[in-house]
Amino acid sequence: MRDLLQHSGQRISERPTATAGNGRRPHRSGPPRARGGPAGAASPFSYSEQELSRLADVVFASLPRSDQRRKGRDYLHGLLSTPGRKSVRRIAAQIGGSGTGQSLHHFICSSTWDWTPVRRALAQHVMHAARPRAWVVRPLPISKSDRRPAGAGHDPAYAGHDPAGADGFRTAQRAVGVWLASESASVPVDWHLHLPEGEAGGTLADRAADACLALRSEWDLPARPIVMDLRDSHPVGALRRMRAAGTHPVARVSPELELTVTDPALTGHVGRVLMAADIMRAARALRRPVGEHGGPARGRALRPGRRPELVAAVGVGSPGAAFALVGIGPSAMDWPGELWLTTLPPEQAAAGVAPVRGLLRTTELAQYAIGDHVGIRDYAGRSFSGWHRHITLASTAHAAAALARSDDRPGERHT
Protein backbone atom coordinates (compact mmCIF):
# COMPACT_ATOMS: atom_id res chain seq x y z
CA MET A 1 0.00 0.00 0.00
CA ARG A 2 2.90 2.37 0.73
CA ASP A 3 4.00 2.51 -2.90
CA LEU A 4 0.47 3.27 -4.08
CA LEU A 5 0.17 6.15 -1.61
CA GLN A 6 3.59 7.49 -2.56
CA HIS A 7 2.86 7.45 -6.27
CA SER A 8 -0.57 9.03 -5.83
CA GLY A 9 1.07 12.19 -4.55
CA GLN A 10 0.41 11.73 -0.81
CA ARG A 11 3.29 12.33 1.59
CA ILE A 12 4.02 9.09 3.39
CA SER A 13 4.98 10.86 6.59
CA GLU A 14 1.44 12.21 6.88
CA ARG A 15 -0.24 8.82 6.63
CA PRO A 16 -0.30 5.77 8.90
CA THR A 17 2.03 2.97 7.80
CA ALA A 18 0.05 0.32 5.94
CA THR A 19 0.73 -3.39 6.13
CA ALA A 20 -0.81 -6.34 4.40
CA GLY A 21 -3.39 -8.45 6.22
CA ASN A 22 -0.70 -11.00 7.11
CA GLY A 23 1.36 -8.34 8.91
CA ARG A 24 4.04 -8.06 6.21
CA ARG A 25 4.82 -4.83 4.44
CA PRO A 26 4.10 -4.72 0.71
CA HIS A 27 7.10 -6.11 -1.13
CA ARG A 28 7.85 -3.15 -3.40
CA SER A 29 9.74 -0.20 -2.00
CA GLY A 30 9.32 2.16 -4.95
CA PRO A 31 6.37 3.40 -6.98
CA PRO A 32 4.62 0.94 -9.27
CA ARG A 33 5.16 1.00 -12.98
CA ALA A 34 2.78 3.33 -14.78
CA ARG A 35 2.03 1.10 -17.72
CA GLY A 36 -1.58 1.81 -18.56
CA GLY A 37 -3.89 4.57 -19.70
CA PRO A 38 -4.67 6.31 -22.96
CA ALA A 39 -2.00 7.88 -25.09
CA GLY A 40 0.03 10.39 -23.16
CA ALA A 41 -1.61 9.60 -19.79
CA ALA A 42 0.52 8.27 -16.95
CA SER A 43 -1.36 6.09 -14.46
CA PRO A 44 -0.25 5.74 -10.84
CA PHE A 45 -1.26 2.08 -10.97
CA SER A 46 0.51 -0.92 -12.40
CA TYR A 47 -1.61 -2.43 -15.15
CA SER A 48 -1.12 -3.13 -18.81
CA GLU A 49 -3.31 -2.07 -21.71
CA GLN A 50 -3.79 -5.74 -22.56
CA GLU A 51 -4.86 -6.61 -19.01
CA LEU A 52 -7.35 -3.76 -18.88
CA SER A 53 -8.77 -4.63 -22.31
CA ARG A 54 -9.25 -8.25 -21.25
CA LEU A 55 -11.02 -7.18 -18.06
CA ALA A 56 -13.23 -4.76 -20.00
CA ASP A 57 -14.20 -7.50 -22.46
CA VAL A 58 -15.35 -9.65 -19.53
CA VAL A 59 -17.28 -7.10 -17.49
CA PHE A 60 -18.86 -5.21 -20.42
CA ALA A 61 -20.03 -8.29 -22.29
CA SER A 62 -23.63 -7.58 -21.21
CA LEU A 63 -23.66 -4.07 -22.71
CA PRO A 64 -25.71 -4.38 -25.91
CA ARG A 65 -23.99 -1.73 -28.04
CA SER A 66 -20.38 -1.36 -29.14
CA ASP A 67 -20.39 2.38 -28.37
CA GLN A 68 -21.39 1.61 -24.77
CA ARG A 69 -18.55 -0.87 -24.43
CA ARG A 70 -16.14 1.70 -25.89
CA LYS A 71 -17.30 4.39 -23.47
CA GLY A 72 -16.93 1.93 -20.63
CA ARG A 73 -13.29 1.35 -21.56
CA ASP A 74 -12.71 5.09 -21.89
CA TYR A 75 -14.19 5.69 -18.46
CA LEU A 76 -11.96 3.00 -16.93
CA HIS A 77 -8.92 4.64 -18.50
CA GLY A 78 -10.01 7.96 -17.08
CA LEU A 79 -10.55 6.59 -13.58
CA LEU A 80 -7.09 5.02 -13.58
CA SER A 81 -5.20 7.97 -15.07
CA THR A 82 -7.00 11.19 -14.09
CA PRO A 83 -5.29 12.97 -11.20
CA GLY A 84 -7.40 14.23 -8.32
CA ARG A 85 -11.16 13.96 -8.15
CA LYS A 86 -12.71 11.70 -10.77
CA SER A 87 -15.57 13.86 -12.04
CA VAL A 88 -16.99 13.28 -15.52
CA ARG A 89 -15.58 16.65 -16.60
CA ARG A 90 -12.04 15.82 -15.40
CA ILE A 91 -12.16 12.33 -16.92
CA ALA A 92 -13.33 13.78 -20.23
CA ALA A 93 -10.50 16.33 -20.19
CA GLN A 94 -7.99 13.54 -19.50
CA ILE A 95 -9.03 11.20 -22.31
CA GLY A 96 -9.83 14.06 -24.75
CA GLY A 97 -11.90 14.23 -27.88
CA SER A 98 -14.66 16.54 -29.07
CA GLY A 99 -17.91 16.10 -27.16
CA THR A 100 -16.35 13.62 -24.74
CA GLY A 101 -17.78 15.27 -21.63
CA GLN A 102 -21.38 15.24 -22.83
CA SER A 103 -21.02 11.70 -24.15
CA LEU A 104 -19.60 10.34 -20.88
CA HIS A 105 -22.19 12.22 -18.82
CA HIS A 106 -24.96 10.56 -20.81
CA PHE A 107 -23.24 7.16 -20.48
CA ILE A 108 -23.15 7.45 -16.68
CA CYS A 109 -26.29 9.42 -15.83
CA SER A 110 -28.82 8.92 -18.62
CA SER A 111 -28.01 5.70 -20.43
CA THR A 112 -30.08 2.53 -20.02
CA TRP A 113 -27.37 -0.08 -19.42
CA ASP A 114 -27.87 -2.26 -16.37
CA TRP A 115 -25.03 -2.28 -13.83
CA THR A 116 -26.05 -5.58 -12.18
CA PRO A 117 -24.73 -7.92 -14.94
CA VAL A 118 -21.52 -5.88 -15.04
CA ARG A 119 -21.01 -6.36 -11.30
CA ARG A 120 -21.82 -10.06 -11.55
CA ALA A 121 -19.25 -10.53 -14.31
CA LEU A 122 -16.71 -8.57 -12.26
CA ALA A 123 -17.35 -10.77 -9.22
CA GLN A 124 -16.95 -13.97 -11.19
CA HIS A 125 -13.71 -12.68 -12.71
CA VAL A 126 -12.29 -11.68 -9.31
CA MET A 127 -13.36 -14.98 -7.79
CA HIS A 128 -11.29 -16.81 -10.41
CA ALA A 129 -8.32 -14.42 -10.48
CA ALA A 130 -7.86 -13.60 -6.79
CA ARG A 131 -9.23 -16.73 -5.11
CA PRO A 132 -10.72 -14.71 -2.24
CA ARG A 133 -10.91 -16.21 1.23
CA ALA A 134 -13.99 -14.29 2.35
CA TRP A 135 -16.74 -11.86 1.48
CA VAL A 136 -16.16 -8.69 3.44
CA VAL A 137 -19.12 -6.38 3.99
CA ARG A 138 -18.44 -2.89 5.28
CA PRO A 139 -19.98 0.58 5.13
CA LEU A 140 -18.55 3.28 2.89
CA PRO A 141 -19.08 6.89 3.97
CA ILE A 142 -19.41 9.16 0.95
CA SER A 143 -18.84 12.82 1.69
CA LYS A 144 -18.06 15.60 -0.74
CA SER A 145 -15.31 16.86 1.59
CA ASP A 146 -14.23 13.82 3.60
CA ARG A 147 -11.19 12.05 2.11
CA ARG A 148 -10.09 10.29 5.30
CA PRO A 149 -9.72 6.53 5.27
CA ALA A 150 -12.83 4.76 6.50
CA GLY A 151 -12.46 3.67 10.07
CA ALA A 152 -10.43 6.74 11.09
CA GLY A 153 -13.12 7.81 13.55
CA HIS A 154 -16.88 8.13 13.29
CA ASP A 155 -18.16 10.37 10.54
CA PRO A 156 -21.19 12.64 10.91
CA ALA A 157 -24.63 11.26 10.18
CA TYR A 158 -24.83 10.00 6.63
CA ALA A 159 -28.02 9.87 4.61
CA GLY A 160 -29.08 8.11 1.44
CA HIS A 161 -31.84 9.32 -0.83
CA ASP A 162 -33.09 12.81 -0.20
CA PRO A 163 -36.76 12.43 0.78
CA ALA A 164 -37.48 15.74 -0.94
CA GLY A 165 -36.35 14.42 -4.32
CA ALA A 166 -37.19 11.07 -5.86
CA ASP A 167 -33.81 10.75 -7.54
CA GLY A 168 -31.55 13.03 -5.55
CA PHE A 169 -28.84 12.75 -2.94
CA ARG A 170 -27.97 14.88 0.02
CA THR A 171 -24.42 16.15 0.28
CA ALA A 172 -23.33 12.97 2.05
CA GLN A 173 -24.41 9.35 1.81
CA ARG A 174 -23.45 5.98 3.18
CA ALA A 175 -23.24 2.87 1.05
CA VAL A 176 -22.66 -0.77 1.92
CA GLY A 177 -20.08 -2.60 -0.17
CA VAL A 178 -19.43 -6.31 -0.62
CA TRP A 179 -15.75 -7.07 -1.25
CA LEU A 180 -14.08 -10.29 -2.32
CA ALA A 181 -11.00 -10.36 -0.12
CA SER A 182 -7.75 -12.22 0.27
CA GLU A 183 -4.43 -11.15 1.79
CA SER A 184 -3.14 -10.18 -1.66
CA ALA A 185 -6.18 -8.48 -3.23
CA SER A 186 -9.49 -7.01 -2.04
CA VAL A 187 -12.02 -5.86 -4.65
CA PRO A 188 -15.52 -4.39 -4.22
CA VAL A 189 -18.11 -6.13 -6.41
CA ASP A 190 -21.52 -4.94 -5.22
CA TRP A 191 -23.03 -1.86 -3.58
CA HIS A 192 -26.23 -0.94 -1.77
CA LEU A 193 -27.21 2.55 -0.69
CA HIS A 194 -28.24 2.89 2.93
CA LEU A 195 -31.27 4.98 3.81
CA PRO A 196 -31.31 6.89 7.12
CA GLU A 197 -32.33 4.99 10.24
CA GLY A 198 -36.09 5.15 10.68
CA GLU A 199 -36.90 5.45 6.98
CA ALA A 200 -38.12 2.63 4.75
CA GLY A 201 -34.65 1.29 4.11
CA GLY A 202 -34.03 -0.31 7.53
CA THR A 203 -30.72 -0.38 9.37
CA LEU A 204 -27.19 -0.45 8.05
CA ALA A 205 -26.99 -4.07 9.22
CA ASP A 206 -30.14 -4.88 7.22
CA ARG A 207 -28.51 -3.50 4.08
CA ALA A 208 -25.39 -5.56 4.76
CA ALA A 209 -27.47 -8.71 5.11
CA ASP A 210 -29.43 -7.88 1.94
CA ALA A 211 -26.19 -7.47 0.00
CA CYS A 212 -24.79 -10.85 1.09
CA LEU A 213 -28.01 -12.78 0.64
CA ALA A 214 -28.48 -11.36 -2.86
CA LEU A 215 -24.99 -12.44 -3.90
CA ARG A 216 -25.50 -15.89 -2.44
CA SER A 217 -28.88 -16.55 -4.03
CA GLU A 218 -28.62 -14.73 -7.37
CA TRP A 219 -24.97 -14.50 -8.41
CA ASP A 220 -23.95 -18.16 -8.19
CA LEU A 221 -20.70 -17.35 -6.38
CA PRO A 222 -18.88 -20.07 -4.42
CA ALA A 223 -19.59 -19.91 -0.69
CA ARG A 224 -17.00 -18.15 1.45
CA PRO A 225 -16.92 -16.98 5.09
CA ILE A 226 -18.77 -13.68 5.50
CA VAL A 227 -16.97 -10.98 7.48
CA MET A 228 -18.98 -7.88 8.39
CA ASP A 229 -18.29 -4.53 10.02
CA LEU A 230 -21.42 -3.68 12.01
CA ARG A 231 -19.94 -1.47 14.69
CA ASP A 232 -22.28 1.36 13.71
CA SER A 233 -25.50 -0.67 13.65
CA HIS A 234 -27.37 -3.19 15.78
CA PRO A 235 -26.37 -6.54 14.26
CA VAL A 236 -28.71 -9.09 15.86
CA GLY A 237 -31.57 -9.06 13.35
CA ALA A 238 -29.25 -9.18 10.34
CA LEU A 239 -27.20 -12.07 11.75
CA ARG A 240 -30.36 -13.97 12.60
CA ARG A 241 -31.63 -13.58 9.01
CA MET A 242 -28.33 -14.75 7.58
CA ARG A 243 -28.23 -17.76 9.90
CA ALA A 244 -31.73 -18.72 8.73
CA ALA A 245 -30.41 -18.60 5.15
CA GLY A 246 -27.73 -21.16 5.97
CA THR A 247 -24.70 -18.92 6.54
CA HIS A 248 -22.54 -18.32 9.61
CA PRO A 249 -21.38 -14.69 9.39
CA VAL A 250 -18.91 -13.09 11.77
CA ALA A 251 -19.44 -9.42 12.56
CA ARG A 252 -17.27 -6.92 14.34
CA VAL A 253 -19.53 -5.14 16.82
CA SER A 254 -19.54 -2.16 19.16
CA PRO A 255 -18.28 -2.57 22.74
CA GLU A 256 -21.59 -0.99 23.81
CA LEU A 257 -23.78 -3.67 22.20
CA GLU A 258 -26.05 -5.15 24.90
CA LEU A 259 -26.38 -8.93 25.04
CA THR A 260 -27.66 -11.51 27.51
CA VAL A 261 -25.03 -13.80 29.06
CA THR A 262 -25.93 -17.48 28.56
CA ASP A 263 -22.55 -19.18 29.08
CA PRO A 264 -22.36 -21.12 32.40
CA ALA A 265 -18.59 -20.53 32.43
CA LEU A 266 -19.30 -16.93 33.46
CA THR A 267 -20.39 -17.76 36.99
CA GLY A 268 -22.64 -15.15 38.52
CA HIS A 269 -23.40 -13.46 35.19
CA VAL A 270 -25.79 -15.89 33.48
CA GLY A 271 -29.06 -14.19 32.60
CA ARG A 272 -27.68 -10.67 32.99
CA VAL A 273 -27.88 -8.13 30.18
CA LEU A 274 -24.44 -6.52 29.81
CA MET A 275 -22.52 -4.54 27.25
CA ALA A 276 -20.21 -6.66 25.08
CA ALA A 277 -17.08 -5.04 26.56
CA ASP A 278 -18.23 -5.90 30.11
CA ILE A 279 -18.99 -9.48 29.12
CA MET A 280 -15.46 -9.91 27.81
CA ARG A 281 -13.94 -8.35 30.90
CA ALA A 282 -15.79 -10.99 32.89
CA ALA A 283 -14.35 -13.67 30.58
CA ARG A 284 -10.68 -12.73 30.97
CA ALA A 285 -9.94 -16.00 32.77
CA LEU A 286 -11.09 -17.88 29.64
CA ARG A 287 -8.49 -16.30 27.36
CA ARG A 288 -6.06 -18.45 25.42
CA PRO A 289 -3.25 -17.58 22.95
CA VAL A 290 -4.37 -17.48 19.32
CA GLY A 291 -3.03 -20.55 17.54
CA GLU A 292 -1.45 -20.92 14.13
CA HIS A 293 -4.81 -21.56 12.45
CA GLY A 294 -6.77 -19.02 14.45
CA GLY A 295 -8.20 -21.08 17.29
CA PRO A 296 -6.97 -21.13 20.88
CA ALA A 297 -3.43 -22.53 21.20
CA ARG A 298 -3.47 -24.29 24.55
CA GLY A 299 0.07 -24.94 25.68
CA ARG A 300 1.64 -23.53 22.50
CA ALA A 301 4.95 -21.72 22.89
CA LEU A 302 4.86 -17.97 22.23
CA ARG A 303 7.28 -16.13 19.99
CA PRO A 304 10.07 -14.46 21.99
CA GLY A 305 9.71 -10.70 22.35
CA ARG A 306 6.21 -10.60 20.95
CA ARG A 307 3.09 -9.81 22.92
CA PRO A 308 0.71 -12.75 22.46
CA GLU A 309 -2.73 -12.34 20.97
CA LEU A 310 -5.39 -13.75 23.23
CA VAL A 311 -8.88 -14.94 22.35
CA ALA A 312 -11.95 -15.95 24.32
CA ALA A 313 -15.44 -16.95 23.21
CA VAL A 314 -18.58 -17.09 25.33
CA GLY A 315 -22.21 -17.90 24.69
CA VAL A 316 -24.61 -14.97 24.60
CA GLY A 317 -28.16 -14.37 23.45
CA SER A 318 -30.68 -11.87 22.26
CA PRO A 319 -34.44 -12.36 21.96
CA GLY A 320 -34.99 -15.35 19.67
CA ALA A 321 -31.33 -16.02 18.87
CA ALA A 322 -28.16 -17.56 20.29
CA PHE A 323 -24.69 -16.25 19.46
CA ALA A 324 -21.08 -16.44 20.49
CA LEU A 325 -19.22 -13.29 21.49
CA VAL A 326 -15.50 -13.36 20.71
CA GLY A 327 -12.90 -11.05 22.20
CA ILE A 328 -9.49 -10.97 20.54
CA GLY A 329 -6.39 -8.84 20.63
CA PRO A 330 -2.89 -8.45 22.06
CA SER A 331 -2.40 -9.11 25.74
CA ALA A 332 -2.80 -5.75 27.46
CA MET A 333 -4.78 -3.97 30.16
CA ASP A 334 -7.34 -2.84 27.57
CA TRP A 335 -7.89 -6.33 26.11
CA PRO A 336 -9.80 -7.13 23.94
CA GLY A 337 -8.95 -4.86 21.05
CA GLU A 338 -11.80 -6.29 18.96
CA LEU A 339 -15.24 -7.71 19.68
CA TRP A 340 -16.96 -10.06 17.24
CA LEU A 341 -20.40 -11.64 17.22
CA THR A 342 -21.13 -14.85 15.31
CA THR A 343 -23.85 -17.46 14.93
CA LEU A 344 -21.23 -20.20 15.31
CA PRO A 345 -21.37 -22.13 18.59
CA PRO A 346 -18.92 -20.90 21.26
CA GLU A 347 -16.60 -23.90 20.89
CA GLN A 348 -16.13 -23.08 17.16
CA ALA A 349 -16.34 -19.29 17.31
CA ALA A 350 -12.69 -18.42 18.02
CA ALA A 351 -11.47 -20.63 15.18
CA GLY A 352 -14.10 -19.09 12.90
CA VAL A 353 -13.25 -15.46 13.66
CA ALA A 354 -9.48 -15.34 14.12
CA PRO A 355 -8.33 -16.51 10.65
CA VAL A 356 -10.49 -14.01 8.72
CA ARG A 357 -10.74 -10.95 10.94
CA GLY A 358 -7.63 -9.36 9.40
CA LEU A 359 -9.39 -9.20 6.04
CA LEU A 360 -11.57 -6.40 7.38
CA ARG A 361 -8.48 -4.23 7.87
CA THR A 362 -6.98 -5.39 4.56
CA THR A 363 -10.15 -4.25 2.79
CA GLU A 364 -10.12 -0.91 4.58
CA LEU A 365 -6.54 -0.28 3.46
CA ALA A 366 -7.36 -1.35 -0.11
CA GLN A 367 -10.22 1.13 -0.26
CA TYR A 368 -7.93 3.91 0.95
CA ALA A 369 -4.88 3.07 -1.16
CA ILE A 370 -6.69 2.09 -4.38
CA GLY A 371 -10.43 2.69 -4.19
CA ASP A 372 -10.26 6.33 -3.13
CA HIS A 373 -7.74 7.01 -5.90
CA VAL A 374 -9.92 5.52 -8.65
CA GLY A 375 -12.97 7.51 -7.59
CA ILE A 376 -15.01 5.15 -5.42
CA ARG A 377 -16.35 8.17 -3.50
CA ASP A 378 -16.12 10.80 -6.24
CA TYR A 379 -19.54 10.77 -7.87
CA ALA A 380 -20.84 14.34 -7.70
CA GLY A 381 -24.17 14.05 -9.50
CA ARG A 382 -27.69 13.68 -8.17
CA SER A 383 -28.79 10.65 -10.15
CA PHE A 384 -29.37 7.35 -8.33
CA SER A 385 -28.61 5.43 -11.53
CA GLY A 386 -25.57 7.60 -12.18
CA TRP A 387 -24.13 6.79 -8.76
CA HIS A 388 -24.59 3.06 -9.32
CA ARG A 389 -22.98 3.18 -12.77
CA HIS A 390 -20.06 5.30 -11.60
CA ILE A 391 -19.29 3.14 -8.58
CA THR A 392 -19.59 -0.01 -10.71
CA LEU A 393 -16.93 1.31 -13.09
CA ALA A 394 -14.79 2.57 -10.20
CA SER A 395 -14.95 -0.94 -8.72
CA THR A 396 -13.79 -2.35 -12.05
CA ALA A 397 -10.90 0.13 -12.15
CA HIS A 398 -10.07 -0.90 -8.59
CA ALA A 399 -10.01 -4.53 -9.73
CA ALA A 400 -7.61 -3.72 -12.57
CA ALA A 401 -5.15 -2.09 -10.17
CA ALA A 402 -5.56 -4.61 -7.34
CA LEU A 403 -5.24 -7.73 -9.50
CA ALA A 404 -2.22 -6.36 -11.36
CA ARG A 405 -0.58 -5.61 -8.03
CA SER A 406 -1.36 -9.10 -6.77
CA ASP A 407 0.12 -10.61 -9.95
CA ASP A 408 3.29 -8.56 -9.44
CA ARG A 409 3.94 -10.15 -6.06
CA PRO A 410 6.36 -13.09 -6.16
CA GLY A 411 4.54 -16.38 -5.76
CA GLU A 412 1.06 -14.85 -5.95
CA ARG A 413 0.30 -14.94 -9.65
CA HIS A 414 -2.81 -16.96 -10.39
CA THR A 415 -3.43 -18.95 -13.51
Side-chain angles (χ1 to χ4, degrees):
M1 297 298 175
R2 182 181 178 89
D3 54 325
L4 290 174
L5 295 175
Q6 185 179 40
H7 207 65
S8 66
Q10 305 292 340
R11 292 180 59 191
I12 300 302
S13 61
E14 297 175 350
R15 302 292 181 185
T17 301
T19 58
N22 55 15
R24 298 191 300 269
R25 293 180 184 272
H27 78 281
R28 278 203 297 265
S29 59
R33 298 182 301 278
R35 295 183 291 171
S43 170
F45 299 113
S46 175
Y47 71 95
S48 73
E49 189 73 27
Q50 184 179 17
E51 291 166 347
L52 188 63
S53 179
R54 185 162 53 245
L55 177 60
D57 287 343
V58 170
V59 301
F60 297 143
S62 63
L63 271 58
R65 301 201 315 262
S66 61
D67 65 307
Q68 292 176 326
R69 296 190 291 274
R70 184 182 68 254
K71 290 172 186 174
R73 291 186 178 90
D74 289 345
Y75 204 82
L76 289 182
H77 281 306
L79 291 170
L80 286 161
S81 62
T82 302
R85 200 166 187 85
K86 307 303 186 291
S87 67
V88 171
R89 179 182 60 82
R90 292 175 64 92
I91 290 173
Q94 178 73 14
I95 63 178
S98 176
T100 300
Q102 182 177 359
S103 176
L104 287 183
H105 183 273
H106 180 272
F107 176 70
I108 295 298
C109 299
S110 306
S111 186
T112 59
W113 62 272
D114 185 356
W115 54 83
T116 301
V118 176
R119 293 180 184 177
R120 185 183 298 117
L122 175 63
Q124 291 168 347
H125 178 80
V126 173
M127 185 66 72
H128 172 75
R131 300 175 186 174
R133 292 185 54 204
W135 301 355
V136 174
V137 187
R138 59 188 304 275
L140 176 74
I142 310 168
S143 171
K144 299 295 187 290
S145 59
D146 183 9
R147 299 291 291 176
R148 294 178 299 168
H154 292 284
D155 296 286
Y158 285 88
H161 294 97
D162 187 340
D167 203 31
F169 293 126
R170 294 175 181 170
T171 56
Q173 305 93 32
R174 172 167 284 190
V176 174
V178 182
W179 298 60
L180 302 183
S182 68
E183 286 79 2
S184 61
S186 293
V187 177
V189 296
D190 196 27
W191 296 95
H192 288 234
L193 275 172
H194 169 53
L195 297 173
E197 303 285 345
E199 294 189 12
T203 68
L204 185 69
D206 290 331
R207 295 287 70 75
D210 290 344
C212 279
L213 294 176
L215 259 66
R216 188 170 185 268
S217 63
E218 300 171 13
W219 286 28
D220 195 30
L221 294 180
R224 292 290 186 274
I226 299 173
V227 183
M228 311 175 79
D229 186 351
L230 299 181
R231 283 175 285 178
D232 291 337
S233 186
H234 197 282
V236 169
L239 295 184
R240 188 167 52 225
R241 283 176 56 205
M242 296 180 70
R243 176 66 190 95
T247 68
H248 281 291
V250 300
R252 190 168 177 189
V253 296
S254 166
E256 299 177 354
L257 176 66
E258 292 187 341
L259 298 162
T260 302
V261 178
T262 61
D263 200 316
L266 297 187
T267 306
H269 294 84
V270 175
R272 296 179 61 188
V273 177
L274 299 172
M275 291 193 300
D278 293 333
I279 295 174
M280 274 298 116
R281 277 192 282 269
R284 290 176 70 90
L286 304 178
R287 298 178 300 172
R288 296 290 185 272
V290 177
E292 182 178 358
H293 299 291
R298 293 173 176 83
R300 184 171 178 265
L302 303 176
R303 294 182 181 180
R306 185 173 182 180
R307 213 166 40 166
E309 285 212 314
L310 303 178
V311 62
V314 296
V316 295
S318 190
F323 301 101
L325 180 66
V326 177
I328 190 168
S331 174
M333 291 295 294
D334 61 351
W335 182 93
E338 300 174 11
L339 290 163
W340 294 78
L341 194 65
T342 176
T343 56
L344 291 166
E347 61 272 17
Q348 300 174 19
V353 169
V356 296
R357 69 185 180 101
L359 294 175
L360 193 62
R361 178 61 174 162
T362 299
T363 300
E364 180 183 25
L365 291 173
Q367 181 237 297
Y368 177 44
I370 301 177
D372 279 357
H373 294 286
V374 296
I376 287 286
R377 295 197 274 185
D378 281 358
Y379 181 73
R382 296 182 59 83
S383 164
F384 171 82
S385 298
W387 178 84
H388 271 287
R389 292 192 182 100
H390 169 86
I391 204 166
T392 298
L393 296 176
S395 298
T396 304
H398 181 113
L403 295 178
R405 177 171 169 76
S406 173
D407 282 348
D408 282 348
R409 293 186 178 189
E412 295 185 357
R413 181 176 295 273
H414 301 304
T415 57

